[in-house]
Amino acid sequence: MKINGTHWRSIWWIDAQRGVGIVDQSALPHVFATLELPDWQAVAAAITDMKLRGAPLIGVAGAWGVALAMRDDASDEALAAACTALAATRPTAVNLGWAIERMRAVLLAHPPHERFEVARAEAAKITEQDVALCQAIGRHGATLIREAHERLGRPVQILTHCNTGWLAAVDYGTALAAIYTAHDEGVPLHVWVDETRPRNQGLLTAWELAAHGVPHTLIVDNAGGHLMQRGHVDLVIVGADRVTARGDVANKIGTYLKAVAAADCGVPFFVAVPSPSFDWTLSDGLSQIEIENRCGKEVRFVAGLDDAGRPAKVAIAPGSTHVSNPAFDVTPHRLVTALISERGACAPADLHLLFPERIQAQ
Ligand code: MRU
């Protein structure tokens, strides 16, 4: 996507010495900065610290991390150690484990002296595949938004949660790809952007939408239900970090509450999900998906700019307050109107039609 006329991706290969470059998401929306990650340990730290984030992107970053590990030591032992450490950085999004397992399988078929070159080629493939999947999701999602516009005869009011744009993938994004594509095709729309406490990924969404000229309004997380009750939301589109074979969706904390409100108000609830975000081995998301619990400091402090425009962090709760910080929740398939994948959109019950090789009819 373009920032001030320049095309950026969220991650890129620099060279064998300097490793990969990323957009530092922890500095946004106030400062646009890039970072170099010279080795797999730096990649792992950037994932843990959420300098890069978003299920598709952490999968791609994990693949590049494995490639950098092979540059330094291409033995079976080093491969196993790097894969294990990278996979442990964040547990909920399945893309990370998917990409690392794909890298491991390809690399084990080659002798150590070939592994760095093979790993670079495979990580590049995973990167380009992510871009293509997101573009396809954008086309399918835009069709749903266009249909809503034709039905309503006015701008479509869309609510989204977290950040699912090009920052969360390599380019375009997932749920936001649908919005970008519809907007670029001339479909009039407006986006309600949840702030998404505690990490405020909604601010990244607002920043992305502003850069692309998409009309939007930032709201606090608790405003969505109220807006839906008053008919100000025509559809909800969110992304996913892990989707089970029956269509249960793990996504950013707060997604479930939006889905409950949408069901109560008769608002369609769409989930944009590239195939690497499906976990076909799982069925019941509530009991089977591990939910990441993050540090309580993320709840106790808010970050922003002070009166002088300098980056600042302020405490909003005393250190003695007990806090809990689950980063994701699970929306049961019964609350999902349709899953939008690169193969098209379908109700969770019809997933076997889109992915017959993965799932048998129930
Ligand atoms: O914790 P994050 O910011 O990495 O989580 C990302 C999300 O949960 C997003 O909502 C998203 O849907 C998955 S990435 C497109």
Side-chain angles (χ1 to χ4, degrees):
M1 300 296 286
K2 287 199 166 140
I3 302 296
N4 297 329
T6 303
H7 183 253
W8 286 90
R9 284 182 168 185
S10 60
I11 191 166
W12 57 94
W13 176 251
I14 307 172
D15 60 36
Q17 199 194 340
R18 289 159 64 199
V20 287
I22 61 163
V23 173
D24 180 359
Q25 298 191 32
S26 64
L28 287 171
H30 304 299
V31 178
F32 182 78
T34 61
L35 277 179
E36 291 187 7
L37 308 177
D39 49 37
W40 75 262
Q41 292 90 344
V43 172
I47 297 173
T48 304
D49 299 341
M50 291 178 68
K51 292 194 181 308
L52 61 88
R53 43 147 297 284
L57 177 58
I58 62 177
V60 170
W64 284 112
V66 174
L68 287 168
M70 294 301 90
R71 175 200 62 191
D72 298 338
D73 180 348
S75 65
D76 285 3
E77 297 71 31
L79 174 60
C83 288
T84 303
L86 283 161
T89 51
R90 297 198 68 192
T92 301
V94 69
N95 308 59
L96 184 58
W98 168 85
I100 287 170
E101 280 318 306
R102 175 165 154 178
M103 293 293 290
R104 192 205 308 259
V106 167
L107 291 169
L108 284 175
H110 290 266
H113 71 275
E114 290 177 4
R115 285 183 180 167
F116 177 41
E117 279 315 310
V118 170
R120 269 178 47 177
E122 193 63 19
K125 255 193 230 165
I126 290 174
T127 305
E128 296 310 319
Q129 183 189 38
D130 186 74
V131 175
L133 296 181
C134 288
Q135 280 177 312
I137 286 175
R139 288 193 295 275
H140 296 302
T143 300
L144 295 170
I145 298 172
R146 195 182 322 108
E147 284 170 0
H149 169 60
E150 286 163 4
R151 205 170 49 247
L152 297 162
R154 57 164 173 74
V156 185
Q157 299 288 335
I158 301 170
L159 185 140
T160 193
H161 188 64
C162 198
N163 173 260
T164 62
W166 67 272
L167 289 169
V170 175
D171 210 345
Y172 304 103
T174 58
L176 282 200
I179 290 170
Y180 288 138
T181 307
H183 171 81
D184 290 351
E185 288 174 355
V187 178
L189 56 86
H190 165 266
V191 187
W192 297 107
V193 181
D194 286 349
E195 62 182 351
T196 322
R197 276 279 290 152
R199 292 296 297 227
N200 291 338
Q201 288 92 333
L203 302 183
L204 303 178
T205 298
W207 177 81
E208 278 198 33
L209 292 176
H212 201 77
V214 180
H216 63 281
T217 305
L218 184 68
I219 54 173
V220 298
D221 289 324
N222 292 331
H226 162 80
L227 293 171
M228 289 187 227
Q229 283 178 321
R230 278 162 179 71
H232 298 319
V233 179
D234 299 313
L235 55 96
V236 179
I237 310 186
V238 298
D241 291 82
R242 190 182 292 241
V243 177
T244 70
R246 74 176 187 192
D248 293 344
V249 175
N251 193 50
K252 182 50 56 193
I253 192 77
T255 302
Y256 168 63
L257 288 177
K258 299 300 174 308
V260 170
D264 187 49
C265 298
V267 172
F269 188 89
F270 297 116
V271 178
V273 50
S275 52
S277 301
F278 281 102
D279 187 339
W280 304 108
T281 68
L282 304 185
S283 172
D284 177 8
L286 263 182
S287 65
Q288 294 178 299
I289 296 178
E290 181 183 353
I291 299 296
E292 176 182 11
N293 271 297
R294 294 187 60 86
C295 178
K297 280 189 186 156
E298 293 183 348
V299 178
R300 281 204 195 91
F301 290 85
V302 289
L305 299 181
D306 66 14
D307 287 348
R310 289 176 306 237
K313 246 185 178 181
V314 295
I316 56 169
S320 56
T321 305
H322 183 71
V323 297
S324 170
N325 188 14
F328 300 92
D329 61 25
V330 173
T331 298
H333 61 283
R334 63 188 158 76
L335 298 176
V336 175
T337 308
L339 298 157
I340 308 168
S341 77
E342 70 273 15
R343 294 193 187 178
C346 73
D350 292 334
L351 263 180
H352 62 282
L353 300 175
L354 282 189
F355 293 92
E357 78 282 17
R358 292 294 198 168
I359 188 170
Q360 304 300 314
Q362 313 275 316

